[in-house]
Amino acid sequence: MSTEKTSAPAGGHQVVNPDAAHDAVTAVDPRLLVREQGLAGYLSEFRRKLHAGDLGSIPVVIGLLLICVIFQSLNSQFLSAQNLSNIAVTMVATGMMAVGIIFVLLLGEIDLSVGSVSGVSGAIVAVMTVSQGMNEWLAILVALVSGAAIGALHGFFFAKIGAPAFAVTLAGLLFWLGFMLQLLGNQGTINLDSDGVVAQLTTYFFTDVAAAYGFAAVAVVIFFLSSFVDSRRREAAGIPSRPLSDIVFRTVLLALVAFAAAYMFNQYKGLPLALVLFLLVLVITDFVLRRTAYGRKIFALGGSVEASRRAGINVTAVRISVFAIAGTFAAVGGLFWASKISAANQSAGTGDLLMNVIAAAVIGGTSLFGGRGRTWNALLGVMVIVSIQYGLALEGIATPIVYMITGGVLLATVVIDSVTRKTQKTAGRA
């Protein structure tokens, strides 16, 4: 749109430049290009986003496809039903924890304690059920509430006292690691009941072929209906909306992916319960962030704390709640890790877990600078990390090399995030 100024002669009447007025009328909202020009609109929109540094998850998807192509060419077992099913189950624990980290990153903060909190969660369930004979469902509830309380405690010191989140959660990392070791005692390892609720989180599969296909069909139908209703609602409000052809195209793409995944799972053990729970969590948390006032407050805080405070947002309460959410999902991840090894031991929550959780969130597309990201980023990011780990394992690559490669991928992602942020500032979008 033209920025030419108007002139004001002695008579006091403004004379508007005709060209400027014409530009003001004919300018088109860039968000309408896709809806109005079909395939050409998609290409135009892509170029605009590329110039503005706003490619979303496209680089991650391309990277994931390259990972599949490379490792499949090296080992034909990489895309086998068994290996892909194992990847799907293994990634859930890290992915659950990454969902909580995304909430914190949206504030522009970090939580370094999630690994230790996950270890505490597994230890609580193991001690209460095996050593104390408590009902397993009650022990799980205690573990989840404990995770939320720990996160809220960290949030209190950060939001109310004013201590840096980095320092508070670093102290939490050490404290809760020691607390976990204290809980486990001299035994060091407590084996879980192989038929218990926690153990079945990663070992239960829906073996009926109709389960996987039915889940895929439900997901596709819900996506179409939600997109259609949202489009009609936006159209009624007079704001940019997707045409039916665009919605159908996206639904078909989702259907291809969903039913291909269902077919793959049915070639092995069936649909994993762990993956179903993870996807349900992603749907719910995405709705909370994008469709509720609470979610908008989180994004607002990530954009500007002072502006949010002046807008009437209770900054302290939102910050404490976000850290409580991170603690809760850390506890959930700890239960899945305990399920994976059928035990709670002293190494739980240590090693490269924290790095992988943060990397999953960032690689998936969540900004370290706050204000940009979605919980679905956890799915993409953890798929990249676990796929690399499994691919390198199939090739017999040593653990040190795995660490270096994963670290390199994380560094590249952070660099891209930084460059993207600078590009958006240049384009006036930050």
Side-chain angles (χ1 to χ4, degrees), residues 158-422:
F158 163 60
K160 195 71 174 178
I161 306 301
F166 178 89
V168 171
T169 56
L170 179 59
L173 181 155
L174 298 174
F175 182 88
W176 299 115
L177 176 59
F179 184 72
M180 178 193 69
L181 297 178
Q182 185 68 27
L183 281 177
L184 294 175
N186 296 328
Q187 297 180 11
T189 299
I190 301 178
N191 294 322
L192 299 174
D193 180 7
S194 59
D195 295 324
V197 177
V198 173
Q200 292 192 37
L201 287 175
T202 56
T203 59
Y204 186 84
F205 291 78
F206 298 96
T207 55
D208 191 333
V209 295
Y213 290 122
F215 186 77
V218 170
V220 171
V221 170
I222 291 177
F223 175 81
F224 174 79
L225 292 178
S226 62
S227 299
F228 180 79
V229 171
D230 181 63
S231 177
R232 297 289 81 81
R233 180 177 60 84
R234 294 172 66 88
E235 183 179 347
I239 56 180
S241 61
R242 298 185 185 279
L244 181 60
S245 58
D246 191 20
I247 296 174
V248 170
F249 176 72
R250 290 167 177 264
T251 303
V252 170
L253 287 181
L254 175 62
L256 291 175
V257 173
F259 282 97
Y263 173 80
M264 179 274 297
F265 286 129
N266 283 332
Q267 301 308 302
Y268 185 50
K269 293 182 178 180
L271 180 65
L273 170 63
L275 182 62
V276 173
L277 295 177
F278 185 34
L279 293 177
L280 289 176
V281 163
L282 291 176
V283 170
I284 294 172
T285 53
D286 182 68
F287 177 84
V288 170
L289 282 178
R290 298 199 305 123
R291 302 294 184 183
T292 67
Y294 174 72
R296 288 191 287 272
K297 290 177 182 178
I298 294 176
F299 280 105
L301 280 177
S304 173
V305 175
E306 185 57 33
S308 300
R309 183 178 288 109
R310 293 184 179 184
I313 295 176
N314 189 332
V315 174
T316 300
V318 173
R319 282 176 163 175
I320 292 176
S321 67
V322 165
F323 277 88
I325 290 172
T328 302
F329 279 107
V332 172
L335 297 180
F336 277 91
W337 277 120
S339 175
K340 186 67 178 175
I341 62 176
S342 297
N345 60 33
Q346 294 179 339
S347 63
T350 60
D352 61 345
L353 177 59
L354 174 61
M355 181 200 72
N356 286 339
V357 170
I358 297 175
V362 177
I363 290 173
T366 303
S367 175
L368 283 169
F369 301 99
R372 192 180 82 243
R374 295 180 60 180
T375 51
W376 286 100
N377 296 149
L379 174 62
L380 292 174
V382 77
M383 285 176 66
V384 169
I385 291 175
V386 178
S387 295
I388 291 175
Q389 292 174 343
Y390 268 71
L392 294 176
L394 287 176
E395 294 303 304
I397 305 298
T399 301
I401 304 300
V402 176
Y403 283 166
M404 288 188 285
I405 292 177
T406 306
V409 172
L410 176 58
L411 176 61
T413 306
V414 172
V415 170
I416 292 173
D417 184 32
S418 300
V419 173
T420 297
R421 183 176 175 82
K422 291 181 179 179

Side-chain angles (χ1 to χ4, degrees), residues 72-93:
Q72 179 65 16
S73 65
L74 295 175
N75 192 313
S76 60
Q77 292 301 308
F78 181 77
L79 292 180
S80 66
Q82 179 178 351
N83 192 58
L84 292 178
S85 180
N86 291 336
I87 289 176
V89 173
T90 300
M91 72 182 189
V92 172

Side-chain angles (χ1 to χ4, degrees), residues 101-114:
I101 280 290
I102 286 174
F103 275 79
V104 177
L105 290 178
L106 287 174
L107 295 181
E109 302 297 338
I110 193 67
D111 188 344
L112 301 178
S113 69
V114 292

